Amino acid sequence: VQLQAFGGGLVQAGGSLKLSCAASGSGFRIDVMGWYRQAPGKQRALVATITSGGNTNYSDSVKGRFTISRDNSKNIVYLQMNSLKSEDTAVYYCQAGFIGPSTAGSWRNSWGRGTQVTVSS
């Protein structure tokens, strides 16, 4: 499974951005999809996840501001980011847990390349 993220950019504090991430490949099934971020000098951290059944989980730092959603028919996950703050500046990575012909019956994780989000104060 390959993941490609779209939608990063530069935005002023208080503004909004929407990230998208599309999964491509054949013969696979995806369970959890998520977004993680890595700020300069920091480790990659969870932002939000969503299961194929629609159950969501958010980090405390984004609750009430970010919304994760997905289109299972298109294998796309979205992250709507509102009320952005300077501390949201980071490279955002999408992730998918999948199983398929290439995984020998095991669940694997795939990561996208990342998209830069910069929030100016």
Side-chain angles (χ1 to χ4, degrees), residues 7-119:
L10 173 64
V11 64
Q12 288 189 333
S16 298
L17 276 176
K18 185 172 185 177
L19 306 182
S20 304
C21 177
S24 61
S26 61
F28 61 87
R29 181 164 66 93
I30 293 177
D31 185 12
V32 178
M33 300 186 81
W35 290 95
Y36 292 74
R37 66 187 181 186
Q38 187 166 17
K42 295 187 177 181
Q43 291 188 333
R44 191 175 299 187
L46 168 74
V47 176
T49 61
I50 183 168
T51 68
S52 57
N55 293 317
T56 58
N57 179 51
Y58 296 92
S59 71
D60 288 343
S61 61
V62 306
K63 277 181 184 176
R65 300 188 298 122
F66 291 11
T67 301
I68 189 170
S69 60
R70 66 191 280 176
D71 184 334
N72 288 332
S73 66
K74 297 179 180 179
N75 289 317
I76 298 177
V77 62
Y78 304 97
L79 185 69
Q80 176 66 48
M81 304 184 292
N82 298 328
S83 302
L84 282 160
K85 306 174 181 180
S86 57
E87 51 263 43
D88 295 317
T89 295
V91 177
Y92 284 70
Y93 297 90
C94 60
Q95 170 269 337
F98 72 100
I99 192 168
S102 64
T103 69
S106 299
W107 287 92
R108 302 286 175 85
N109 278 325
S110 182
W111 293 88
R113 282 190 175 183
T115 184
Q116 177 70 46
V117 172
T118 302
V119 183

